[in-house]
Amino acid sequence: MSSVVVGWTGRCPDRRDRARLIAHLERLAEVSDSYLRTRLPEPVIVTGRAAALPGKVRRARANIEHVNRTLSGRIVISSGIVPDQNTFLAAAREAELPAIDHPDIERASITWLKSARLSGIDFRLYDPSELHPDADRLSFVFLESEAAPFLNGRLVQVERQDHDADIIREASFYLRGPDLHLHSYLEDWIDLLFSWVKYFFVGDLWWRRFEDMQGYEDYREVFSDVQNTMGRERAEQATFDAILATFTQHAEHWSGKVAAGGSR
């Protein structure tokens, strides 16, 4: 069966829009969390390279992380937070920030800041098979920086720092473009969710599954029709209710299949 890493980028500069979006996503996070707590074994200590380093043992993360924090130190940022690396480099240099191609980071350039702020939500998306336990989180965390207005409102994912590149291991924080590993389960549904986010909140949201923004034009027509009938506010709510119900249907279906010993 298919397996794919879905990556996404986008910018939502309006704090009120971000707050409304996160309020919707909190509902999804809570439903996902309820399945994670009742259908899967208790989390255990995460092992791996980081666990072998003194002071670097990482325990399982909370299923839901509400992010609202100020960062300081060397904050390394990957060009993967925007669709085009050259645009990232040009904007960083215009803001008089360091901007380099880094040989240890494949297909990416980096810049770094001394301070920034993060807000949003990062949560684990329920998968009854747990095929990708280290890559199953949905990050809608937004970056703010006075030093770099072009980064304000950009979606990021806070990455672990047990990385091959010294500049990342030695950084205070490493921010990159969000991604999620899916394996058949929820693949079509993720296009629906991202289409909804793009239509109602993040106009420049870009994602790639097997194709760029797969299914968006069809979903956009549906959202537009609902909005014309119900008005924007009610359409936003009603269509997200449908997305949440569809997630629950997928979770129930695959939970039953996995429990019965089915394979994908």
Side-chain angles (χ1 to χ4, degrees), residues 144-161:
E144 293 181 69
S145 169
E146 293 182 1
F150 78 98
L151 296 176
N152 277 338
R154 279 280 166 198
L155 284 163
V156 300
Q157 184 165 312
V158 182
E159 179 61 288
R160 299 193 306 266
Q161 289 165 263

Side-chain angles (χ1 to χ4, degrees), residues 20-231:
R20 284 202 346 271
L21 171 58
I22 297 308
H24 286 295
L25 293 175
E26 283 175 344
R27 296 176 58 207
L28 172 60
E30 289 165 2
V31 173
S32 181
D33 177 61
S34 70
Y35 279 102
L36 289 164
R37 288 185 291 101
T38 60
R39 305 291 179 95
L40 296 180
E42 289 292 321
V44 296
I45 293 176
V46 178
T47 60
R49 175 176 178 175
L53 300 174
K56 292 290 186 177
V57 174
R58 293 184 291 106
R59 293 186 178 273
R61 295 170 62 180
N63 290 338
I64 305 174
E65 294 177 351
H66 295 93
V67 181
N68 186 11
R69 62 184 301 192
T70 299
L71 310 183
S72 61
R74 174 171 271 203
I75 305 158
V76 174
I77 302 172
S78 166
S79 60
I81 69 170
V82 301
D84 180 70
Q85 178 174 324
N86 292 330
T87 300
F88 176 88
L89 289 170
R93 288 167 180 153
E94 184 176 348
E96 299 183 344
L97 295 175
I100 62 172
D101 292 321
H102 200 284
D104 293 330
I105 307 173
E106 184 180 6
R107 297 188 300 278
S109 302
I110 58 171
T111 189
W112 51 90
L113 302 171
K114 294 181 180 179
S115 64
R117 182 165 186 80
L118 298 179
S119 63
I121 190 169
D122 181 303
F123 61 96
R124 191 177 171 200
L125 199 60
Y126 172 69
D127 179 349
S129 292
E130 295 189 281
L131 292 176
H132 307 289
D134 292 326
D136 60 356
R137 301 188 72 91
L138 196 60
S139 179
F140 273 85
V141 174
F142 295 94
L143 171 67
E144 293 181 69
S145 169
E146 293 182 1
F150 78 98
L151 296 176
N152 277 338
R154 279 280 166 198
L155 284 163
V156 300
Q157 184 165 312
V158 182
E159 179 61 288
R160 299 193 306 266
Q161 289 165 263
D162 50 327
H163 196 282
D164 290 339
D166 290 341
I167 196 169
I168 292 177
R169 285 202 309 275
E170 295 167 2
S172 303
F173 301 93
Y174 175 45
L175 309 180
R176 64 173 181 83
D179 61 29
L180 172 73
H181 201 153
L182 298 175
H183 192 101
S184 299
Y185 170 72
L186 295 182
E187 285 190 12
D188 293 332
W189 175 87
I190 205 74
D191 293 329
L192 171 60
L193 174 66
F194 286 159
S195 294
W196 177 85
V197 173
K198 181 176 178 66
Y199 184 87
F200 287 104
F201 294 98
V202 185
D204 71 344
L205 187 74
W206 172 92
W207 70 96
R208 181 174 179 81
R209 188 160 62 91
F210 293 109
E211 300 175 5
D212 291 358
M213 296 184 291
Q214 196 162 341
Y216 176 67
E217 289 305 318
D218 291 335
Y219 288 128
R220 183 184 62 80
E221 290 186 12
V222 173
F223 298 147
S224 179
D225 288 343
V226 177
Q227 179 174 300
N228 289 338
T229 301
M230 304 178 67

